[in-house]
């Protein structure tokens, strides 16, 4: 059974973990105040689960940018050609109407 | 010789608007074509990620550049051209999504009940110069998880973490507050991280 002091330490840590979780995106994006960053750095040093959680969230963010270059989202050549034909036709109509 | 490719977006916009240089209609249109060339790939990819359908993405691409051509005279440069065109494209895509009647699922709760101390924090296994095949699989899994995000979270995630717009630019594109961008982005990232974590656990379990 936990002693009173151990229980309160555990509660504080748990509370901090929740707080830390709320701040992780801002931490990754360097949007925290100096005080918040200090608090989070200190917690991460002492709390292995939060450290691993931060690493995994950071990894998710870094991986996400690669979706931009993913093959399935690349524009096919025919779409490019059709866009040019569409725009030439429509934009020319607009200019003719202006005249 | 094409000198337009050396110009900044702002300079090209000014040429299309006819406010600088001696370009007539033809020159103006060439400057517009340079803007098309610069943004078509990104706008198509962004629309496809938002809509998940190639035909719809192509429609949005065409509508967006036509909207740009028609409205560029009134573009005053209060925001960057990039932010402006993404705003048009995102609005077009979201309108299409809503018209299609696709039912958007919402998150069950505003904030997930996650406790880092209770496991699940395991995605870092894929870090480092690991296996390219595994990385490809993980990326595909992330893509699947993104598609499952509710629209208002997906849109913000795509603008911030995929297109790499800043919080301020994303707020401008979507006409919402920066704090809404931050909180929804965080919620989206946590959800995606959970998705990848479950995938990893499944991979280890097999």
């Amino acid at each position: 059974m936990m002693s009173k002091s151990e229980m309160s330490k555990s509660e504080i840590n748990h509370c901090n973990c929740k707080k830390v979780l709320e701040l992780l995106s801002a931490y990754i994006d360097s949007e925290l105040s100096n005080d918040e960053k200090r608090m989070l750095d200190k917690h991460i040093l002492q709390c292995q689960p939060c450290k691993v959680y931060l690493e995994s969230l950071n990894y998710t963010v870094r991986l996400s940018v690669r979706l931009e270059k993913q093959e399935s989202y690349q524009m096919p050549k025919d779409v490019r050609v059709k866009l040019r034909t569409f725009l030439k036709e429509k934009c020319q109509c607009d200019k003719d109407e202006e005249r | 010789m094409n000198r337009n490719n050396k110009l900044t977006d702002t300079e090209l916009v000014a040429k299309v608007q006819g406010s600088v240089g001696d370009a007539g209609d033809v020159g103006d249109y060439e400057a517009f074509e340079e803007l098309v060339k610069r943004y078509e790939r990104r706008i198509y990819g962004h629309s496809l990620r938002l809509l998940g359908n190639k035909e719809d993405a192509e429609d949005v691409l065409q509508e967006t550049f036509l909207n740009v051509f028609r409205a560029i005279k009134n573009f005053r440069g209060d925001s960057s051209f990039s932010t402006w065109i993404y705003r048009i494209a995102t609005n077009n895509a979201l309108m299409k999504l809503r018209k299609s009647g696709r039912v958007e699922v919402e998150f069950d709760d505003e904030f997930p009940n996650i406790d880092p101390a209770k496991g699940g924090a395991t995605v870092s296994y894929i870090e480092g110069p690991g296996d390219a095949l595994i990385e490809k699989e993980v990326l595909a899994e992330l893509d699947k998880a993104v598609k499952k995000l509710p629209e208002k979270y997906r849109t913000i995630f795509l603008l911030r973490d995929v297109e790499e717009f800043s919080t301020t630019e994303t707020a401008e594109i979507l006409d919402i507050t920066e704090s809404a961008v931050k909180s929804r982005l965080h919620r989206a990232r946590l959800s995606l991280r959970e998705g990848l974590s479950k995938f990893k656990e499944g991979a280890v379990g097999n």
Side-chain angles (χ1 to χ4, degrees):
Chain A
M1 195 168 168
M2 265 194 257
S3 70
K4 200 177 171 187
S5 66
E6 277 172 331
M7 253 171 85
S8 109
K9 195 178 164 189
S10 156
E11 276 163 16
I12 289 165
N13 279 339
H14 183 73
C15 175
N16 280 349
C17 287
K18 286 274 176 194
K19 175 77 183 153
V20 162
L21 185 73
E22 282 171 31
L23 297 176
L24 287 183
S25 272
Y27 183 79
I28 290 169
D29 295 333
S30 306
E31 286 172 343
L32 289 183
S33 69
N34 288 340
D35 282 350
E36 285 172 323
K37 188 179 175 305
R38 253 196 305 276
M39 186 277 284
L40 203 134
D41 280 336
K42 196 177 162 195
H43 181 91
I44 294 291
L45 270 177
Q46 296 163 346
C47 179
Q48 185 62 14
C50 280
K51 183 173 179 278
V52 177
Y53 199 96
L54 171 64
E55 281 169 6
S56 61
L57 192 66
N58 217 338
Y59 174 76
T60 308
V61 174
R62 285 204 306 277
L63 188 70
S64 300
V65 76
R66 286 174 48 193
L67 287 177
E68 211 274 321
K69 299 249 183 304
Q70 212 190 16
E71 220 178 300
S72 53
Y73 293 111
Q74 297 312 306
M75 189 174 70
K77 212 174 166 183
D78 69 304
V79 171
R80 193 167 195 265
V81 174
K82 278 195 264 174
L83 173 66
R84 271 154 186 72
T85 311
F86 170 85
L87 288 173
K88 269 207 172 124
E89 195 183 295
K90 292 280 183 188
C91 298
Q92 194 54 51
C93 281
D94 283 6
K95 279 181 184 176
D96 290 345
E97 276 172 25
E98 271 176 33
R99 280 178 194 139
Chain B
M1 192 177 139
N2 178 18
R3 286 191 184 152
N4 284 333
N5 60 7
K6 302 260 191 299
L7 299 180
T8 64
D9 287 357
T10 311
E11 288 165 338
L12 285 171
V13 168
K15 273 188 91 174
V16 181
Q17 288 173 329
S19 54
V20 293
D22 55 1
D25 279 354
V26 176
D28 288 353
Y29 195 74
E30 278 177 3
F32 174 67
E33 279 185 320
E34 177 62 27
L35 288 170
V36 173
K37 198 173 148 196
R38 276 182 202 184
Y39 285 94
E40 60 186 342
R41 190 192 63 78
R42 289 176 61 191
I43 295 296
Y44 176 82
H46 178 59
S47 307
L48 184 53
R49 278 184 285 273
L50 268 174
L51 295 162
N53 175 295
K54 288 182 179 179
E55 286 75 32
D56 287 348
E58 192 178 339
D59 285 349
V60 168
L61 178 75
Q62 294 185 349
E63 281 163 28
T64 298
F65 280 106
L66 186 60
N67 293 154
V68 166
F69 184 79
R70 287 178 173 165
I72 204 162
K73 288 250 178 217
N74 304 321
F75 176 66
R76 296 194 308 273
D78 296 337
S79 61
S80 68
F81 177 77
S82 162
T83 305
W84 186 60
I85 192 173
Y86 266 85
R87 184 174 184 152
I88 295 171
T90 306
N91 280 339
N92 285 342
L94 293 181
M95 241 182 322
K96 201 170 249 309
L97 201 63
R98 281 159 200 165
K99 267 189 201 162
S100 74
R102 268 176 264 178
V103 181
E104 280 291 328
V105 188
E106 256 299 334
F107 281 130
D108 293 340
D109 48 5
E110 202 41 50
F111 201 79
N113 187 22
I114 296 168
D115 187 344
K118 286 182 182 160
T122 46
V123 181
S124 57
Y125 84 109
I126 337 161
E127 286 282 31
D131 187 326
L133 191 66
I134 293 179
E135 288 206 358
K136 210 175 163 188
E137 278 179 23
V138 177
L139 199 59
E141 200 56 33
L142 176 66
D143 192 28
K144 266 195 232 166
V146 173
K147 284 178 182 152
K148 285 185 201 154
L149 285 175
E151 174 213 298
K152 68 178 181 182
Y153 298 91
R154 188 168 71 246
T155 311
I156 284 168
F157 165 78
L158 290 174
L159 288 167
R160 281 286 285 112
D161 283 354
V162 180
E163 301 294 330
E164 296 188 281
F165 282 104
S166 68
T167 300
T168 310
E169 288 167 332
T170 304
E172 267 178 34
I173 291 170
L174 297 172
D175 199 18
I176 56 174
T177 62
E178 289 191 24
S179 74
V181 172
K182 287 179 191 174
S183 66
R184 289 181 205 170
L185 176 67
H186 185 49
R187 181 72 175 84
R189 283 174 176 174
L190 293 186
S191 170
L192 296 174
R193 198 217 70 92
E194 290 303 300
L196 286 190
S197 187
K198 278 181 192 147
F199 171 70
K200 184 262 164 188
E201 282 161 18
V204 169
N206 288 333

